[in-house]
Amino acid sequence: GVDTGVRTFEFTNTGDEELVITNVRSSCGCTVPSRPQAPIMPGQSDKIEVQYNMNPGTISRSITVETNAKNVENGTVALYIKGKVVEG
């Protein structure tokens, strides 16, 4: 199949309060993050989708996820995408 460049990061709220994802931003304009708009309740799972352009070459991107989580500094978590796009 054709790779569309979409990658999914699945996560679960392991805390005892609702998890709110306030912002998702990428290190460059070639990623298009989508994020859950509603709070994620304790024990519930959700996902963040990231898409990168499929220009041939090496990919190294970081996505910054801003949340109300108390177990990480400033509630911020970094996601990383690394790989290589080759001509089909």
Side-chain angles (χ1 to χ4, degrees):
V2 176
D3 189 342
T4 58
V6 176
R7 294 295 177 267
T8 301
F9 292 90
E10 295 187 10
F11 60 91
T12 301
N13 179 1
T14 58
D16 54 10
E17 295 179 32
E18 61 184 39
L19 175 66
V20 179
I21 296 181
T22 52
N23 194 20
V24 179
R25 50 195 166 84
S26 62
S27 58
C28 73
C30 45
T31 49
V32 185
S34 71
R35 67 179 172 92
Q37 301 293 324
I40 296 97
M41 296 300 148
Q44 296 296 307
S45 298
D46 212 317
K47 63 184 191 282
I48 293 172
E49 287 191 345
V50 179
Q51 183 170 20
Y52 53 86
N53 60 15
M54 296 296 287
N55 293 340
T58 303
I59 297 169
S60 180
R61 306 273 178 263
S62 67
I63 314 317
T64 302
V65 182
E66 298 173 6
T67 76
N68 66 335
K70 311 228 180 353
N71 62 331
V72 289
E73 188 175 351
N74 299 324
T76 302
V77 177
L79 306 176
Y80 297 98
I81 298 177
K82 293 191 180 208
K84 186 169 189 181
V85 178
V86 294
E87 299 260 10

